[in-house]
């Protein structure tokens, strides 16, 4: 494994925080009130591949349902306190952006993703010259059971990994047009959105949409993980991170729309791949909003990023969880729970979807 400074910088940003947090401070105080969706119809023509999210007032956040880090599944502590938020209506992609869609963008623009660019000496002054090669972060299962306290055991920086080769040079996306594109850094997602005449969702928009009109439910579809025995999202089964038993039908990433949509017709809104939101990440943002009282209107995230676990990294919010999420380690398919990542870091379980404001819609 190739651990260079870039690896050290980037892998920590991905998944490790589930176990390292302080005990929850708000245990049991969560209060959810009903979602009051706007009554307005979608403005203008239906947008291809998008669904209309009416917006409205809702309770944002998640109940932290355990007192310690080993009580899984549980939400992340930074998703407290539950607070009241209003978002205006918007269009949202029904699925994460697929390989075929991203390919179209790259063909039209010649865009080169962050993972395909050569890291510079300026960015990583102490990295050895031979490690300044394009690549990205890839998950690899371990060959034996490991303690879940060190994610370097399953994440590494792989030379030549990028959206066309999500697991490294030996891998490809042939026959996977309909799979979510991954190995996408934040600037890549932003560039795509701009080209498509769209934008990335705020964290509040993402959660409003993910809840699908429900309130205070654990999952995007309700309180039961497998209602009637049915798998509702692509997650990990079996011993993490050794072997994905694929009881839900998929070891690793799944084609979009492989699982049922939520109440608003959104597919893959939980599990499959993490998705970028436009908010900077701060663990105390919800407290800041709750302290102000009242209803936070169209919150855009804090003015600047801060993650105490890695104070020098600029992180934005990830939402939805991925095919690696599981009840032993990181149950972020829980609807109100949060993730985060360093902005220039892509991984093989991170993609995105776009939204479009009502005002961007031609009438
Ligand atoms: Ca799976
Ligand atoms: Cu996870």
């Amino acid at each position: 494994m190739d651990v260079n400074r870039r690896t050290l910088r980037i892998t920590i940003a991905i998944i490790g925080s589930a176990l390292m947090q302080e005990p929850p401070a708000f245990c049991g105080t969560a209060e959810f009130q009903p979602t009051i969706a706007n009554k307005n119809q979608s403005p203008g023509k239906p947008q291809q591949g998008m669904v209309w999210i009416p917006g409205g007032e809702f309770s944002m956040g998640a109940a932290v349902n355990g007192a310690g880090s080993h009580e899984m599944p549980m939400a992340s502590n930074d998703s407290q306190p539950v607070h009241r938020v209003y978002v205006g209506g918007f269009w949202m992609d029904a699925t994460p952006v697929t390989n075929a869609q991203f390919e179209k963008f790259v063909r039209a623009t010649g865009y080169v993703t962050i993972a395909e660019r050569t890291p510079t000496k300026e960015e990583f002054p102490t990295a050895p010259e031979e490690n300044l090669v394009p690549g990205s972060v890839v998950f690899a299962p371990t060959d034996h059971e490991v303690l879940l306290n060190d994610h370097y055991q399953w994440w590494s920086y792989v030379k030549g990994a990028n959206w066309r080769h999500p697991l490294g040079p030996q891998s490809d996306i042939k026959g996977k047009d309909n799979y979510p594109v991954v190995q996408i850094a934040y600037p890549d997602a932003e560039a795509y959105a701009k080209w498509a005449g769209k934008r990335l969702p705020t964290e509040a928009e993402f959660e409003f949409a993910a809840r699908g009109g429900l309130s205070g439910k654990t999952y995007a579809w309700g309180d039961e993980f497998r209602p009637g025995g049915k798998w509702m999202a692509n997650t990990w089964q079996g011993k993490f991170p050794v072997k994905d038993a694929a009881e839900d039908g998929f070891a690793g990433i799944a084609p979009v729309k492989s699982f049922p949509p939520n109440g608003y017709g959104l597919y893959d809104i939980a599990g499959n791949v993490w998705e970028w939101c436009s908010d900077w990440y701060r663990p105390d943002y919800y407290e800041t909003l709750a302290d102000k009282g009242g209803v936070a209107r169209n919150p855009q995230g804090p003015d600047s990023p801060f993650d105490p676990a890695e104070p020098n990294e600029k992180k934005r919010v990830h939402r939805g969880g991925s095919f690696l999420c599981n009840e032993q380690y990181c149950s972020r398919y829980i609807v109100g729970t949060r993730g985060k990542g360093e902005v220039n870091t892509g991984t093989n379980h991170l993609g995105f979807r776009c939204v479009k404001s009502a005002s961007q819609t031609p009438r």
Side-chain angles (χ1 to χ4, degrees), residues 233-237 244 246-252 259 323:
N234 184 17
T235 61
W236 172 291
Q237 294 86 43
D244 185 344
E247 286 158 24
D248 59 19
F250 299 92
F259 293 83
F323 62 84

Side-chain angles (χ1 to χ4, degrees), residues 31-216:
E31 279 200 78
F32 287 93
Q33 284 146 38
T35 296
I36 306 165
N38 291 329
K39 297 273 185 294
N40 58 348
Q41 300 292 306
S42 60
K45 298 194 294 263
Q47 303 292 296
Q48 207 202 346
M50 304 185 92
V51 293
W52 174 248
I53 309 295
E57 203 181 296
F58 75 116
S59 296
M60 182 165 168
V64 177
N65 57 350
S69 58
H70 297 290
E71 290 170 55
M72 292 287 180
M74 68 180 274
S76 49
N77 301 326
D78 53 5
S79 56
Q80 289 272 320
V82 174
H83 57 289
R84 206 71 181 153
V85 171
Y86 175 87
V87 294
F90 57 97
W91 298 95
M92 188 175 219
D93 289 343
T95 72
V97 172
T98 62
N99 286 323
Q101 290 173 317
F102 201 77
E103 169 91 47
K104 219 169 148 190
F105 156 65
V106 168
R107 278 185 189 217
T109 60
Y111 184 83
V112 176
T113 61
I114 300 271
E116 297 167 285
R117 301 178 201 170
T118 305
T120 63
K121 201 85 197 155
E122 289 68 53
E123 293 170 277
F124 305 99
T126 61
E129 202 76 47
E130 67 269 22
N131 284 343
L132 294 176
V133 291
S136 200
V137 175
V138 175
F139 170 87
T142 55
D143 59 6
H144 58 284
E145 278 190 32
V146 293
L147 288 175
L148 299 180
N149 58 359
D150 175 12
H151 54 266
Y152 290 111
Q153 297 169 112
W154 54 87
W155 286 112
S156 55
Y157 186 74
V158 173
K159 294 174 186 174
N162 60 50
W163 72 275
R164 290 185 193 280
H165 306 283
L167 304 177
Q170 264 59 269
S171 66
D172 61 48
I173 54 172
K174 286 193 189 86
K176 295 186 173 174
D177 279 2
N178 214 16
Y179 283 58
V181 65
V182 291
Q183 297 297 9
I184 297 296
Y186 188 80
D188 306 332
E190 247 188 337
Y192 175 96
K194 198 173 165 196
W195 169 78
K198 302 177 185 178
R199 62 181 173 80
L200 297 172
T202 66
E203 186 174 20
E205 287 171 336
F206 191 99
E207 185 168 325
F208 183 91
R211 289 188 176 281
L214 303 174
S215 177

